[in-house]
Amino acid sequence: MADMGIEKQGHHYQDSNDSQKNVFDLGTFVGDLNVEEDASSDDISLEGLQQELEECKNDDVVANILSKGTKLREYTKGVENNIRQVELDSIQDYIKESDNLVSLHDQIRDCDSILSQMETLLSGFQAEIGSISSDIKILQEKSMDMGLKLKNRKVAESKLANFVEDIIVPPRMVDIIIDGEVNDEYMRTLETLSKKLKFVEVDPMVKISKALKDVQPELEKLRQKAVSKVFEFIVQKLYSLRKPKTNIQILQQSVLLKYKYIVTFLKEHGKEIYIEVRGAYIDTMNKVLSAHFRAYIQALEKLQLDIATSNDLIGVEARNTSLFSSRREPLKNRSAVYALGDRIKILKEIDEPALIPHIAEASSSKYPYEVLFRSLHKLLMDTATSEFNFCDDFFGEESIFYDIFAGPFAVIDEHFNSILPNCYDAIGLMLMILIIHQHQLVMSRRRIPCLDSYLDKVNIVLWPRFKMVFDMHLNSLRNANVKTLWEDDVHPHYVMRRYAEFTASLIHLNVEYGDGQLELNLERLRMAIDDLLIKLAKTFPKPKSQTVFLINNYDMTIAVLKEAGPEGGKIQMHFEELLKSNTALFVEELLLEHFSDLIRFVKTRASEDPNANTEKPITVAEVEPLVKDFASRWKAAIELMHKDVITSFSNFLCGMDILRSAMTQLLLYYTRFSDCIKKIVGGSALNKDLVSIPSIMYEIKKYSRTF
């Protein structure tokens, strides 16, 4: 309605412009409007006027005013009069529309009344909605409270169900514990009974429950019955280990380990009975294993091959250790008294199965003690490893092993203590030390520590015995009777052969072990044999025989050391130096034996200058006998030297090296002799009797070709 009034007002305003003069003259009613001049207009600032005029230059009205030159004040008065007139016209229009405005006011008042009613209605709705929201909140709180109660009841139900399940004794469990056989089902029932017993013992809330008073007596009866029953069962199984020819390891793995929970149950719910079971097992296995090792040791003793006695020492006379002649001594040396030989193979057989005595006895085989020693300790390692693992799995106690093996250790110690004092086999003792070292490595790889202390003890016992036997050999050389040992033979002495083989064996064995103390002991032994060999050499009446004797022994020793491998070291180098010096000495002695005058002349006179003014110059007459003597028999002399070397030296190659050295030295002497003759006045007269150097060289090559 207001919009309609406004439209009418606008329409009427348009008509009024056309009929202003027909209504009434408002100017007459109001009067002329006079615009007085502002007294303060002269004080108005004209700053910025020029800029505003420039901006209004494009305005048509402003441009018209400026172009006509009309005064600004007059124009302003005209504008104000126009505005006044428009205002009076507007008032006239509102007066004409007064009825419409009243109608519009009434309509607005009616609308306001309607809106007030709607506000009241909506306020009522809001109050109702607030009430509903409060009810919903209350319902939500009740729902949460009910959910919490439900959750608590479920938790309580679960705990109560667990409690009931843990504390009740099902009839089926009672029947199995009392009347059932000990089998897999019985083991599972034992586990269930154990859980119930722990439940009533551990949980403090259970102890104050009334249900416990009813159940606890029944649980105690079941515990006693179960403990009694499994004790009888496990003891019966343990006693079956005592039956002869029982394979203990198979019985342990396939039978006892199946029932290892019995031991756990007894530990937790029958401590006294567990101690009895533990003691019964220790006693049974102690006796069984002790008897087993005692029988095995007795069988091994029948297979033992005696290698050495207290008289089998390097420096002992051969006739004292054998009923046979000394010629048989080298054969005995090679039978492993001093030589290592094939005995070293035992170190490559560390992981081989232990000997089976009755099979070896049936084949009439005999073995050095280190073979039996390895076999015994191989059986010990395998048995100990199996028993240690079983004790850990079955009882959960490693300490049981040491109680069980106290017996077997005592049996082995008793045997060892009877063997060791009578063992004079140094090579065998060293092999046993290396076997123990290898066995320690085997047990370390297995990660089984149960034999550590035992193997250390055996090692500690073996070293002093080896040192004692070694010192016996050393003292036998230091205290040797040279007169009884000496033989009128320049070939290698059996004592030196014993020493060479013995030293080579120990050097070879010490390569892997690397014991510095053994190296010092071998050096002491080398010094002792040096002294003894010099004493034996001095027993020969001729210096040449002494030198030949020394060369033969040194050469043989070097050859034996080389056969043992390239590990000869300082000892081999020492004998090589001695061989070299004695070879040079023998060459000189051999040449002096056949060409003494020639060599003496070369050494004393050949270096003199024949043209020098000396008291006794070299003359043709002085050297002519030497020239003719050499020319007449030099070939025969070389042949004699060859025969002498062949018969003197045991080693053909060594003899040929010495012969070559002798002939080379002879060639050097004769070359100097020939050069000296050329310098003598009239020496050319002897050229016909001089043997040419190529001839001597040809003869040397001829002997060289023989080897």
Side-chain angles (χ1 to χ4, degrees):
M1 293 176 64
D3 292 340
M4 291 173 62
I6 292 171
E7 288 178 7
K8 287 180 180 180
Q9 182 182 357
H11 179 69
H12 181 73
Y13 177 74
Q14 184 177 1
D15 294 340
S16 65
N17 288 333
D18 298 331
S19 57
Q20 288 182 8
K21 295 179 180 181
N22 297 328
V23 185
F24 67 92
D25 189 359
L26 189 60
T28 304
F29 179 77
V30 177
D32 293 333
L33 293 176
N34 296 323
V35 179
E36 296 181 357
E37 295 183 1
D38 191 353
S40 62
S41 60
D42 293 337
D43 297 331
I44 296 174
S45 175
L46 299 178
E47 184 180 354
L49 179 59
Q50 184 64 35
Q51 183 179 353
E52 292 182 5
L53 291 175
E54 289 294 332
E55 291 177 354
C56 297
K57 202 189 304 182
N58 296 328
D59 186 88
D60 294 339
V61 177
V62 175
N64 187 36
I65 292 171
L66 293 176
S67 63
K68 293 180 179 180
T70 307
K71 291 183 180 179
L72 183 60
R73 287 185 180 275
E74 293 178 358
Y75 185 77
T76 301
K77 288 180 180 181
V79 170
E80 287 180 354
N81 290 330
N82 291 335
I83 292 173
R84 168 64 67 180
Q85 185 62 43
V86 171
E87 182 180 1
L88 292 175
D89 292 341
S90 296
I91 292 172
Q92 185 66 37
D93 289 339
Y94 275 103
I95 291 172
K96 289 180 179 181
E97 293 294 331
S98 58
D99 293 338
N100 293 332
L101 291 174
V102 170
S103 175
L104 177 62
H105 175 72
D106 292 339
Q107 291 177 3
I108 291 173
R109 188 176 57 193
D110 293 340
C111 287
D112 185 56
S113 176
I114 294 171
L115 290 173
S116 177
Q117 293 175 4
M118 291 180 66
E119 181 182 6
T120 303
L121 181 62
L122 291 174
S123 296
F125 287 159
Q126 184 178 11
E128 290 180 3
I129 291 172
S131 176
I132 293 172
S133 175
S134 177
D135 292 342
I136 291 174
K137 187 175 181 181
I138 292 171
L139 290 174
Q140 185 179 11
E141 290 176 355
K142 288 182 179 180
S143 176
M144 291 176 64
D145 185 49
M146 292 175 65
L148 181 61
K149 289 180 180 179
L150 177 62
K151 182 179 180 181
N152 291 338
R153 288 178 181 178
K154 285 183 177 179
V155 171
E157 181 186 6
S158 175
K159 289 186 176 181
L160 183 61
N162 291 336
F163 173 81
V164 172
E165 183 180 354
D166 289 338
I167 203 169
I168 64 169
V169 181
R172 175 64 178 168
M173 186 177 76
V174 176
D175 293 340
I176 293 174
I177 294 295
I178 295 176
D179 300 324
E181 294 183 1
V182 179
N183 51 26
D184 292 342
E185 185 182 12
Y186 198 92
M187 294 296 102
R188 292 192 295 271
T189 307
L190 271 186
E191 291 184 27
T192 304
L193 177 60
S194 176
K195 289 179 182 178
K196 294 182 181 297
L197 291 171
K198 290 178 183 178
F199 178 71
V200 301
E201 291 173 359
V202 175
D203 196 330
M205 297 299 294
V206 177
K207 293 182 179 180
I208 61 176
S209 67
K210 294 182 180 180
L212 180 62
K213 295 179 181 179
D214 297 333
V215 175
Q216 192 168 22
E218 300 301 322
L219 286 175
E220 180 61 23
K221 291 178 183 178
L222 286 178
R223 184 194 68 81
Q224 293 177 359
K225 180 63 179 177
V227 167
S228 173
K229 193 166 187 176
V230 297
F231 172 72
E232 293 176 1
F233 175 81
I234 200 69
V235 168
Q236 182 183 2
K237 295 297 181 183
L238 294 181
Y239 282 144
S240 64
L241 294 170
R242 299 188 178 187
K243 294 179 181 178
K245 298 182 179 180
T246 298
N247 191 318
I248 296 174
Q249 293 181 7
I250 291 179
L251 185 61
Q252 288 174 336
Q253 298 297 322
S254 61
V255 178
L256 292 179
L257 281 180
K258 287 173 59 179
Y259 303 103
K260 69 177 182 179
Y261 184 75
I262 289 177
V263 174
T264 304
F265 182 82
L266 292 177
K267 265 187 182 181
E268 295 172 348
H269 308 293
K271 192 68 177 179
E272 295 179 357
I273 301 299
Y274 167 74
I275 293 173
E276 288 186 34
V277 171
R278 183 180 184 276
Y281 180 79
I282 291 173
D283 180 64
T284 298
M285 292 305 297
N286 189 308
K287 291 178 180 178
V288 168
L289 293 179
S290 296
H292 180 65
F293 276 98
R294 185 176 289 107
Y296 188 73
I297 288 171
Q298 290 173 354
L300 287 181
E301 288 175 346
K302 298 177 182 179
L303 305 176
Q304 183 174 346
L305 174 66
D306 293 327
I307 297 295
T309 65
S310 59
N311 292 323
D312 288 316
L313 302 173
I314 296 175
V316 174
E317 185 184 358
R319 287 185 290 273
N320 289 342
T321 60
S322 175
L323 298 175
F324 303 102
S325 65
S326 59
R327 294 178 183 175
R328 296 295 299 276
E329 181 61 19
L331 294 176
K332 188 178 181 183
N333 286 339
R334 288 191 291 272
S335 70
V337 178
Y338 308 102
L340 182 59
D342 292 337
R343 297 175 73 181
I344 195 172
K345 291 181 179 179
I346 193 67
L347 298 179
K348 297 180 180 179
E349 299 171 355
I350 291 295
D351 291 327
E352 293 295 318
L355 285 175
I356 301 176
H358 67 271
I359 295 178
E361 190 174 358
S363 61
S364 301
S365 300
K366 297 288 183 179
Y367 303 94
Y369 183 71
E370 69 268 11
V371 176
L372 310 182
F373 180 84
R374 183 210 70 86
S375 188
L376 174 61
H377 283 82
K378 171 64 175 174
L379 179 65
L380 175 63
M381 286 195 305
D382 293 344
T383 306
T385 299
S386 174
E387 190 62 32
F388 182 83
N389 289 329
F390 176 77
C391 290
D392 188 30
D393 289 344
F394 193 69
F395 290 97
E397 294 184 48
E398 297 177 355
S399 59
I400 293 180
F401 170 86
Y402 300 99
D403 296 331
I404 293 171
F405 265 74
F409 283 153
V411 171
I412 297 173
D413 287 343
E414 179 185 357
H415 160 72
F416 204 49
N417 291 334
S418 66
I419 291 291
L420 202 59
N422 299 315
C423 181
Y424 297 94
D425 181 12
I427 303 299
L429 288 167
M430 192 65 194
L431 284 169
M432 285 188 276
I433 290 171
L434 295 177
I435 288 170
I436 287 294
H437 178 66
Q438 292 293 326
H439 283 169
Q440 288 174 324
L441 295 177
V442 170
M443 295 303 288
S444 175
R445 287 194 294 269
R446 292 181 182 180
R447 297 185 178 181
I448 303 294
C450 59
L451 292 183
D452 288 353
S453 58
Y454 170 78
L455 294 176
D456 287 340
K457 183 183 72 173
V458 174
N459 193 46
I460 291 172
V461 171
L462 285 172
W463 269 112
R465 182 64 190 179
F466 171 80
K467 182 66 167 55
M468 191 197 79
V469 175
F470 187 92
D471 287 343
M472 290 175 65
H473 285 287
L474 179 62
N475 292 328
S476 71
L477 292 176
R478 290 175 174 174
N479 304 325
N481 189 332
V482 177
K483 292 182 180 179
T484 58
L485 289 176
W486 183 79
E487 296 176 350
D488 190 11
D489 187 357
V490 295
H491 291 88
H493 199 278
Y494 61 83
V495 170
M496 194 63 180
R497 175 171 288 279
R498 290 174 181 173
Y499 163 80
E501 292 175 343
F502 184 74
T503 301
S505 300
L506 293 182
I507 289 175
H508 189 59
L509 292 176
N510 197 41
V511 170
E512 293 184 6
Y513 197 74
D515 184 69
Q517 191 63 37
L518 179 59
E519 294 178 358
L520 295 177
N521 287 326
L522 287 174
E523 186 64 20
R524 293 165 58 209
L525 193 69
R526 196 269 306 160
M527 295 170 65
I529 196 66
D530 277 349
D531 293 341
L532 178 60
L533 197 63
I534 295 298
K535 292 177 183 178
L536 289 172
K538 289 181 178 179
T539 311
F540 288 94
K542 296 180 181 180
K544 179 183 172 185
S545 298
Q546 296 176 9
T547 306
V548 170
F549 176 76
L550 291 174
I551 290 174
N552 279 327
N553 281 281
Y554 293 149
D555 179 67
M556 178 272 300
T557 302
I558 293 169
V560 172
L561 292 175
K562 285 182 177 179
E563 285 179 4
E567 301 90 9
K570 294 180 180 179
I571 295 178
Q572 182 176 319
M573 291 174 61
H574 170 76
F575 286 113
E576 287 174 349
E577 289 295 326
L578 291 176
L579 177 63
K580 184 178 179 181
S581 60
N582 280 275
T583 298
L585 183 61
F586 174 78
V587 167
E588 200 65 24
E589 291 173 351
L590 183 64
L591 293 176
L592 284 173
E593 185 178 336
H594 296 280
F595 305 101
S596 58
D597 293 338
L598 176 66
I599 294 172
R600 195 177 299 112
F601 174 83
V602 171
K603 288 184 175 181
T604 57
R605 304 295 304 278
S607 59
E608 298 178 5
D609 187 357
N611 299 322
N613 295 325
T614 57
E615 296 179 358
K616 190 177 180 182
I618 301 173
T619 61
V620 174
E622 184 180 355
V623 299
E624 184 177 5
L626 297 175
V627 172
K628 291 183 177 181
D629 178 66
F630 183 84
S632 62
R633 63 184 187 84
W634 71 277
K635 288 186 179 181
I638 289 177
E639 181 61 29
L640 290 174
M641 288 168 56
H642 176 255
K643 291 180 180 180
D644 193 359
V645 167
I646 291 298
T647 55
S648 297
F649 298 105
S650 306
N651 187 349
F652 177 76
L653 295 178
C654 177
M656 289 300 100
D657 287 340
I658 293 172
L659 180 61
R660 188 190 301 108
S661 298
M663 290 191 291
T664 302
Q665 187 63 34
L666 174 62
L667 181 61
L668 292 174
Y669 281 137
Y670 193 74
T671 301
R672 291 178 61 190
F673 180 67
S674 299
D675 293 341
C676 180
I677 292 175
K678 293 177 182 178
K679 299 176 183 178
I680 300 173
V681 178
S684 58
L686 300 175
N687 287 343
K688 64 181 185 299
D689 295 321
L690 281 174
V691 179
S692 65
I693 299 299
S695 299
I696 299 175
M697 292 181 66
Y698 174 78
E699 199 68 20
I700 292 174
K701 290 179 180 179
K702 184 174 72 173
Y703 282 99
S704 299
R705 285 194 295 270
T706 59
F707 57 92

